[in-house]
C-alpha cells in the first residue's frame, strides 16, 4: 500500500490539518498509555474546537464525559484519532464513516507491518475510507500536529509540542519523528505542521507535498524517507514544488540495486545509492545524509534565502577558526574571494592596523560591537560576496552580550540578495542574543557545519536558477527498424533475457543515428583479411564468445592491425584466447580521442538509470560517474557530462585534446530516446564511446545491449 494507489482526484487532506472538531477513540484515563497521552496533548494544546473522548469502558477522561461510540456524539466530528487494539480498528473506522467523519488518524499498530493478516485488515480499512471519501493517516503512526494558532492541534503522543514556525515535515519513522520534534525545539526550528505517516495506506508523503505546496504556513519542507511508494510520482511532484519551497530529505536505507548481477560495467557501478541520489538531484530535492545536517540546512533555509552564488565573505575575531572555515568552504567548492582594494580601504577606516582585511576579515581579538557591526554592514552592502559568515569566539566573558547584539542587528539587516549566518564557538552555546527564537538568521556551533549548510543551500539555488530541461525528440530515428530487430530477438531470449548479437546491436544503434565504425562479423581468417582490406586504415579484431564478457580481459582484442599477414595472425590470436569462439568482429580502428562510458541499467524501484563516465576499461576502478533516472532532459545530459570530476579532460586539460562534448550529449539523449521506445532493453553498456575533437563526433566502438521479453518494470 503506497502513495501510488491514491485516487487520481483525492479528497483534500485539509480536514486533517484544520479540523473543526475531534474525537479520540480510545482516549484513556491512564496518562501513561498512548490513548491517554494523545488525549492529554490535544487538551493541553487548547485545540480550537470541541474534543470528544470515546471510550465505552469509562464515564470520564480528564473530567470530560465520554461516549461509548463515535456515532453517539451529538455534534459533528471532523477528525477522529483511533487508538484501539488492531482487531477493533476496522469497526471503529466504519463507525467513523457512518458518522460522516472526514479524516481519521489511525495510531494503532498491527497491520501490514506485521504480515499477511495485518495487510488484509489494512486493505479493508482502506476500502472503507475510500468508499466514504475520507482520508486516513496511518495506520501504525504517531499522529500529526498543526501549530497554527487558529487550530492548535497537537495530535501526537510524544511529549513535545514544538513552537510555531515555517517548517513542515513528514516522517516515515514514528520514533524518529519524535526525536526530530525534540531536536527541532532544542535548535529553535519552528514547525508549521508535522505528520507521522506510518504505513501510508492512504495518505502518502506525496499527498502531503501537494498540501504543503499551497499551504501559506509552510516555507520549508522536510522529509524523512525510508522507502518510496511511487518514485515516479514523487519526482514529478517534488520537481514542481521544489521550485517554490525548498524540500530537504533524509533517505535512510539503501536501494536493492546492489543485489543486481554485475554482468556489465554499468551494472557493477550502480551498486551504490545512486538511484535515490539521481532522483533527488533531478527533482531539486536537497539530500542530507545525517540528521545533524538536516537541522543545519533547515535552520539556514527556514531563516534566510539561499545564496545567489558561490562567493562567501567571512568576518571573525580569531584567525584559526576562520582558516577552518575557509578550508571547509573551499573543499566544498565555494569561494572565499579576496576583497577589492576599495572595500579593503573602507574596512581599514574603522579596523585596527593589525586587522587583516583581505577575506577573511580578521578583526583580531580586540574587535568589539562597533567593528562587527561596521564590517558586517560594509560586506553585506558590497557586490563582491553572495553570503557572509560572521565568526565570533569570545575571548573573555566581558562584552559578549554587546557584541552579540551588534552582530544580530547588523545580520538582521541583511538585504534579500545576500545570505547571512553566524558561528558562535563556545562550549556553553550561543547567548540568547543569537539563539532566541526570533533571531532572523541561524547560528552554528562550528564553521564546518555552517559551510556544509551553505554548500547545500547554494547548490539548491543553482538548481533553481538553471532553466528546466526538456526531453529532446529526434526526427531522424528509424524506430520501426530498431523495433523489428529487438522484437525478433526477444523470441529467442525469453523472460530471463539475453544479449543482442553484435550485428543486431549495430543495426539498432544506426537506427538511432548513432555512429559506429565500419564492422563485420566473420568466421574465417580469409574473410577477416578481405574485410580488413576494405577498411580505410587499420583494423581491430575482437573475438565473439559467450565466455568473453570483457573481451580484452582474456586477450580477445587485437588493435591497430594492418596488412593481410597481421590480420591473419590477429585472427588466430583472438580466437585462441577462448575455448568457445563463435566468430570474430572485424572493425575499423578509431585512433586517438577520449574514451567514455554510456550505460543503462534497470533499477527495480526507479526504472532505468543512465550512467556516464570517463575512463574506458578503468571506469569501475575510478568510479567517477554520473547517474540519472530515465528519461533524460537536455539539462540532465549536459549536467552529467560536466559533473564528473574528470570532465576537465574533455574540455582539454593541460594542453590535452578537447573532446566533442556536444556529440556526447547528443549520444546520451539518443540513448534515452531508445530506452523510451524499446522497453525490452534492460541493460546496456557502450564502453568505450570514442570521443573525437570538437566537431569530429563520437564513435561507439564497443556496445552491448541486453533485452528480455517482459516489458520494463516501474517507470
Ligand atoms: P571489451 O570491453 O570487451 O574488453 P572493447 O571492444 O571495449 O572490448 O575493446 C577494449 C578496448 O580496446 C577499448 O576500451 C578501446 O580502448 C580499444 N578499442 C576497441 N575497439 C576499438 C576501435 N575500433 N578503435 C580503437 N580502439 C578500440
Ligand atoms: Mg568495452
Amino acid at each position: 500500500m503506497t502513495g501510488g494507489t491514491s485516487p487520481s482526484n483525492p479528497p483534500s487532506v485539509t480536514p486533517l490539518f484544520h479540523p473543526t472538531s475531534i474525537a479520540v477513540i480510545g482516549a484513556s484515563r491512564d496518562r501513561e498509555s498512548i490513548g491517554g497521552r494523545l488525549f492529554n496533548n490535544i487538551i493541553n494544546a487548547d485545540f480550537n474546537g470541541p474534543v470528544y473522548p470515546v471510550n465505552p469502558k469509562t464515564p470520564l477522561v480528564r473530567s470530560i464525559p465520554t461516549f461509548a461510540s463515535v456515532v453517539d456524539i451529538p455534534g459533528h466530528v471532523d477528525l477522529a484519532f483511533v487508538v484501539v487494539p488492531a482487531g477493533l480498528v476496522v469497526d471503529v473506522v466504519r463507525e467513523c464513516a457512518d458518522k460522516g467523519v472526514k479524516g481519521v488518524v489511525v495510531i494503532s499498530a498491527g497491520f501490514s507491518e506485521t504480515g499477511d493478516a495485518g495487510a488484509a485488515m489494512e486493505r479493508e480499512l482502506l476500502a472503507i475510507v475510500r468508499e466514504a471519501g475520507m482520508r486516513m493517516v496511518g495506520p501504525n503512526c504517531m499522529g500529526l500536529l498543526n501549530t497554527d494558532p487558529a487550530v492548535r492541534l497537537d495530535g501526537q503522543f510524544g511529549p513535545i509540542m514544538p513552537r510555531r514556525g515555517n517548517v513542515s515535515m513528514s516522517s516515515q519513522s514514528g520514533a524518529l519523528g519524535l526525536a526530530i520534534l525534540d531536536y527541532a525545539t532544542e535548535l529553535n526550528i519552528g514547525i508549521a505542521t508535522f505528520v507521522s505517516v506510518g504505513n501510508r495506506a492512504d495518505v502518502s508523503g506525496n499527498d502531503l507535498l501537494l498540501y504543503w505546496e499551497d499551504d501559506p504556513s509552510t516555507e520549508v519542507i522536510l522529509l524523512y524517507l525510508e522507502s518510496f511508494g511511487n518514485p515516479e510520482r514523487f519526482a514529478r511532484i517534488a520537481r514542481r514544488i521544489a521550485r517554490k519551497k525548498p524540500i530537504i530529505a533524509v533517505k535512510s536505507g539503501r536501494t536493492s540495486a546492489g543485489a543486481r548481477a554485475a554482468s556489465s560495467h554499468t551494472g557493477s557501478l550502480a551498486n551504490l545509492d545512486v538511484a535515490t541520489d539521481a532522483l533527488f538531484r533531478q527533482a531539486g530535492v536537497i539530500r542530507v545524509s545525517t540528521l545533524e545536517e538536516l537541522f543545519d540546512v533547515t535552520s539556514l533555509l527556514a531563516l534566510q534565502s539561499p545564496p545567489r552564488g558561490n562567493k562567501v565573505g567571512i568576518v571573525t575575531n580569531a584567525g584559526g577558526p576562520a582558516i577552518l572555515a575557509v578550508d571547509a568552504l573551499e573543499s566544498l567548492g565555494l569561494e572565499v574571494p579576496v576583497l577589492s582594494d576599495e572595500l579593503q580601504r573602507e574596512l581599514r577606516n574603522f579596523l585596527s592596523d593589525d586587522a587583516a582585511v583581505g577575506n577573511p576579515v580578521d578583526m583580531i581579538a580586540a574587535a568589539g560591537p562597533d567593528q562587527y557591526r561596521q564590517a558586517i554592514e560594509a560586506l553585506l552592502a558590497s557586490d563582491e560576496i553572495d553570503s557572509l559568515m560572521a565568526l565570533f569566539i569570545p575571548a573573555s566573558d566581558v562584552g559578549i552580550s554587546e557584541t552579540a547584539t551588534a552582530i544580530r542587528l547588523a545580520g538582521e539587516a541583511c538585504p534579500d540578495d545576500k545570505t547571512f549566518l553566524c558561528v558562535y564557538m563556545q562550549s556553553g552555546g550561543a547567548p540568547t542574543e543569537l539563539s532566541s527564537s526570533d533571531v532572523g538568521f541561524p547560528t552554528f556551533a562550528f564553521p564546518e557545519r555552517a559551510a556544509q549548510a551553505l554548500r547545500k543551500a547554494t547548490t539548491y539555488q543553482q538548481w533553481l536558477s538553471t532553466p528546466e530541461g526538456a526531453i529532446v525528440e529526434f526526427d531522424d530515428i528509424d524506430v520501426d527498424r530498431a523495433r523489428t530487430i529487438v522484437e525478433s530477438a526477444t523470441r529467442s531470449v525469453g523472460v530471463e533475457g539475453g544479449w543482442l548479437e553484435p550485428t543486431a546491436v549495430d543495426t539498432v544503434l544506426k537506427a538511432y543515428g548513432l555512429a559506429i565504425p565500419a564492422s563485420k562479423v566473420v568466421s574465417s581468417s580469409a574473410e577477416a583479411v578481405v574485410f580488413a582490406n576494405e577498411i580505410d586504415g587499420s583494423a581491430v579484431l575482437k573475438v565473439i564468445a559467450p565466455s568473453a564478457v570483457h573481451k580484452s580481459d582474456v586477450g580477445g582484442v587485437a588493435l591497430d592491425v594492418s596488412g593481410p599477414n597481421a590480420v591473419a595472425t590477429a585472427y588466430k590470436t583472438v580466437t585462441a584466447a577462448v575455448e568457445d569462439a563463435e566468430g570474430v568482429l572485424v572493425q575499423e580502428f578509431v585512433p586517438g580521442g577520449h574514451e567514455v562510458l554510456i550505460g543503462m541499467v534497470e533499477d527495480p524501484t526507479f526504472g532505468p538509470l543512465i550512467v556516464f563516465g570517463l575512463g574506458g576499461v578503468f571506469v569501475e576502478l575510478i568510479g567517477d560517474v554520473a547517474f540519472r533516472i530515465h528519461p533524460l532532459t537536455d539539462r540532465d545530459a549536459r549536467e552529467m557530462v560536466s559533473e564528473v570530476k574528470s570532465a576537465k579532460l574533455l574540455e582539454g586539460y593541460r594542453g590535452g585534446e578537447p573532446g566533442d562534448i556536444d556529440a556526447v550529449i547528443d549520444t546520451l539523449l539518443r540513448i534515452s530516446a531508445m530506452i523510451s521506445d524499446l522497453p525490452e532493453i534492460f541493460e546496456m553498456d557502450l564502453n568505450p564511446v570514442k570521443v573525437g575533437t570538437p566537431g569530429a563526433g563520437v564513435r561507439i566502438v564497443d556496445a552491448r545491449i541486453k533485452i528480455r521479453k517482459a516489458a520494463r518494470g516501474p517507470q
Side-chain angles (χ1 to χ4, degrees):
M1 289 295 123
T2 65
T5 58
S6 294
S8 57
N9 194 4
S12 172
V13 296
T14 306
L16 297 169
F17 293 109
H18 294 269
T20 53
S21 51
I22 293 176
V24 180
I25 305 168
S28 166
R29 289 179 68 84
D30 174 3
R31 284 173 177 256
E32 296 306 310
S33 71
I34 291 177
R37 279 148 66 188
L38 180 80
F39 188 74
N40 281 326
N41 281 352
I42 294 173
I43 296 294
N44 292 346
D46 280 338
F47 172 67
N48 253 331
V51 181
Y52 305 105
V54 176
N55 187 335
K57 293 195 191 131
T58 177
L60 296 171
V61 176
R62 281 204 56 179
S63 320
I64 302 172
T66 58
F67 296 89
S69 156
V70 70
V71 290
D72 299 336
I73 298 170
H76 169 72
V77 175
D78 231 10
L79 179 63
F81 289 86
V82 179
V83 203
V84 298
L88 303 177
V89 172
V90 166
D91 286 340
V92 160
V93 170
R94 199 172 279 126
E95 285 174 352
C96 288
D98 293 343
K99 174 73 185 159
V101 170
K102 292 197 200 112
V104 288
V105 179
V106 180
I107 307 280
S108 315
F111 292 86
S112 61
E113 80 281 8
T114 58
D116 290 346
M121 270 204 305
E122 193 167 303
R123 280 195 296 276
E124 206 177 338
L125 265 189
L126 185 63
I128 297 166
V129 164
R130 291 273 156 88
E131 167 77 26
M134 300 194 283
R135 295 301 320 247
M136 170 172 70
V137 174
N140 183 29
C141 77
M142 207 191 79
L144 54 79
L145 57 83
N146 182 1
T147 59
D148 184 343
V151 180
R152 292 205 291 261
L153 170 58
D154 185 5
Q156 48 89 37
F157 57 84
I160 286 150
M161 171 68 158
R163 77 168 175 84
R164 177 80 176 149
N166 59 358
V167 177
S168 283
M169 167 157 197
S170 83
S171 177
Q172 286 185 8
S173 157
L176 204 82
L178 281 181
I180 287 172
L181 290 182
D182 184 13
Y183 279 113
T185 304
E186 181 75 29
L187 296 166
N188 242 323
I189 294 170
I191 300 290
T193 61
F194 169 86
V195 184
S196 154
V197 289
N199 293 359
R200 296 174 287 159
D202 177 35
V203 171
S204 66
N206 290 341
D207 294 323
L208 296 169
L209 279 176
L210 289 171
Y211 172 74
W212 289 325
E213 177 175 18
D214 296 316
D215 172 29
S217 306
T218 300
E219 288 174 345
V220 177
I221 298 170
L222 303 191
L223 307 173
Y224 175 80
L225 302 171
E226 284 169 354
S227 66
F228 289 97
N230 180 344
E232 200 272 334
R233 183 163 176 254
F234 172 82
R236 209 163 4 95
I237 295 171
R239 195 187 298 233
R240 184 180 73 231
I241 299 176
R243 300 225 150 249
K244 307 183 192 170
K245 307 177 177 186
I247 303 174
I248 308 166
V250 197
K251 163 77 176 70
S252 72
R254 298 294 177 187
T255 65
S256 53
R260 189 182 301 117
S263 57
S264 65
H265 294 279
T266 308
S268 65
L269 284 164
N271 61 2
L272 295 169
D273 200 17
V274 293
T276 307
D277 262 342
L279 178 77
F280 284 170
R281 181 191 293 264
Q282 282 166 276
V285 173
I286 305 168
R287 185 179 195 177
V288 291
S289 40
T290 63
L291 291 177
E292 191 172 67
E293 209 188 331
L294 175 77
F295 292 121
D296 289 344
V297 179
T298 302
S299 58
L300 179 59
L301 289 175
L303 298 171
Q304 295 279 303
S305 43
R308 301 260 169 116
N310 270 340
K311 299 195 176 73
V312 188
I314 299 172
V315 296
T316 181
N317 65 345
I323 294 170
L324 290 178
V326 174
D327 283 351
L329 290 164
E330 289 185 340
S331 73
L332 293 165
L334 296 170
E335 212 187 310
V336 184
V338 176
L339 303 176
S340 66
D341 292 346
E342 197 188 338
L343 189 50
Q344 294 200 22
R345 265 198 301 280
E346 190 186 335
L347 293 165
R348 279 261 174 260
N349 286 337
F350 53 82
L351 295 181
S352 84
D353 292 344
D354 300 334
V357 291
N359 194 20
V361 177
D362 183 357
M363 310 183 292
I364 65 171
D370 288 342
Q371 280 82 34
Y372 264 102
R373 181 180 51 76
Q374 286 174 293
I376 291 170
E377 283 171 359
L379 283 162
L380 287 179
S382 91
D383 55 8
E384 296 173 31
I385 56 160
D386 304 297
S387 50
L388 179 60
M389 184 189 289
L391 293 173
F392 177 27
I393 298 90
S396 74
D397 291 345
V398 185
I400 292 181
S401 167
E402 290 77 2
T403 302
T405 304
I407 293 174
R408 174 169 178 177
L409 292 176
E412 285 183 339
C414 178
D416 284 347
D417 64 346
K418 296 266 170 22
T419 306
F420 182 82
L421 48 78
C422 181
V423 176
Y424 181 90
M425 289 177 77
Q426 198 181 44
S427 61
T432 45
E433 289 84 350
L434 291 171
S435 63
S436 67
S437 63
D438 53 348
V439 178
F441 54 80
T443 295
F444 295 88
F446 295 102
E448 297 86 349
R449 284 175 57 181
Q452 179 66 32
L454 259 187
R455 167 75 268 173
K456 295 274 172 170
T458 308
T459 305
Y460 170 60
Q461 179 58 45
Q462 279 162 354
W463 178 84
L464 278 179
S465 47
T466 311
E468 262 182 280
I471 292 172
V472 178
E473 309 256 347
F474 295 91
D475 52 16
D476 59 347
I477 287 176
D478 191 349
V479 186
D480 294 340
R481 183 150 173 70
R483 193 168 283 145
T484 312
I485 298 282
V486 168
E487 275 169 11
S488 91
T490 49
R491 273 177 230 129
S492 52
V493 294
V495 281
E496 284 295 295
W499 297 99
L500 271 186
E501 47 97 12
T503 329
V505 170
D506 281 3
T507 311
V508 171
L509 294 176
K510 272 193 210 148
Y512 276 82
L514 296 162
I516 51 171
S519 61
K520 188 175 181 186
V521 177
V522 301
S523 49
S524 73
S525 173
E527 258 187 288
V529 170
V530 170
F531 184 71
N533 192 38
E534 289 170 19
I535 292 174
D536 239 5
S538 62
V540 173
L541 281 81
K542 303 179 185 181
V543 70
I544 301 169
S547 69
V549 175
H550 298 304
K551 301 172 286 295
S552 50
D553 287 354
V554 296
V557 178
L559 297 172
D560 197 5
V561 190
S562 49
N565 291 340
V567 171
T569 311
Y571 186 94
K572 270 200 207 100
T573 316
V574 299
T575 46
V578 295
E579 280 169 4
D580 54 347
E582 290 175 350
V584 167
L585 186 73
V586 183
Q587 205 179 46
E588 177 191 344
F589 177 67
V590 182
H594 297 280
E595 297 197 346
V596 302
L597 157 80
I598 291 174
M600 175 273 209
V601 69
E602 199 179 78
D603 182 277
T605 313
F606 295 80
L609 298 172
I610 298 176
V611 69
F612 167 80
L614 267 79
V617 286
F618 300 117
V619 69
E620 283 127 305
L621 180 69
I622 299 166
D624 180 22
V625 293
F627 275 94
R628 288 293 184 281
I629 293 172
H630 171 265
L632 300 183
T633 63
D634 49 355
R635 172 183 176 172
D636 291 326
R638 192 163 290 282
E639 286 178 352
M640 287 171 86
V641 178
S642 61
E643 111 191 6
V644 294
K645 292 188 200 78
S646 44
K648 284 205 172 68
L649 292 174
L650 278 184
E651 289 156 12
Y653 185 65
R654 298 208 158 174
E657 290 260 295
D660 192 340
I661 291 173
D662 287 342
V664 176
I665 291 169
D666 180 72
T667 306
L668 280 164
L669 293 171
R670 285 174 187 272
I671 292 298
S672 182
M674 184 191 296
I675 296 164
S676 301
D677 295 339
L678 305 170
E680 294 86 354
I681 298 179
F682 71 108
E683 194 165 342
M684 181 176 347
D685 232 359
L686 312 183
N687 189 26
V689 178
K690 297 207 85 176
V691 184
T693 51
V698 302
R699 257 119 35 109
I700 301 166
V701 301
D702 182 29
R704 306 201 310 142
I705 296 177
K706 205 171 195 179
I707 56 162
R708 65 160 173 241
K709 214 168 245 152
R712 193 170 293 141
Q715 268 253 45

